[in-house]
Amino acid sequence: RRVLFRSVIVNTGSASNKINIYVIDNSGRIVNQFLNVATSNIRINNLKKGFYTLKLVNIETGEQSSQRVVVQ
């Protein structure tokens, strides 16, 4: 059986603020993290098919946002 890995492109909106990005699987486990990201777009590779939550945290302000994504 072949397992395919997919990618997701995250648009952070701005490259002026550093953020942390956490990729959380459907069971609540952090499967990947990107710390001190200072770019407006980042590609997250090697995701298995399934449901994920992307949690973005602004390092300076502590502001958080999250988005559910489906990898097919």
Side-chain angles (χ1 to χ4, degrees):
R1 184 173 170 194
R2 192 172 141 191
V3 177
L4 297 176
F5 293 94
R6 311 262 193 265
S7 63
V8 172
I9 297 174
V10 178
N11 182 332
T12 64
S14 172
S16 62
N17 293 325
K18 290 188 177 183
I19 63 168
N20 293 336
I21 300 172
Y22 302 95
V23 182
I24 304 165
D25 69 10
N26 210 28
S27 67
R29 185 173 56 102
I30 296 174
V31 295
N32 208 337
Q33 61 184 2
F34 302 89
L35 304 176
N36 296 314
V37 174
T39 183
S40 61
N41 289 300
I42 184 168
R43 178 184 295 269
I44 301 172
N45 295 313
N46 298 325
L47 293 174
K48 293 182 182 179
K49 185 177 179 179
F51 295 90
Y52 296 90
T53 299
L54 302 177
K55 181 177 178 181
L56 285 65
V57 180
N58 183 311
I59 295 171
E60 293 177 22
T61 66
E63 182 180 351
Q64 299 181 20
S65 65
S66 62
Q67 179 69 44
R68 295 273 295 162
V69 296
V70 178
V71 177
Q72 298 181 342

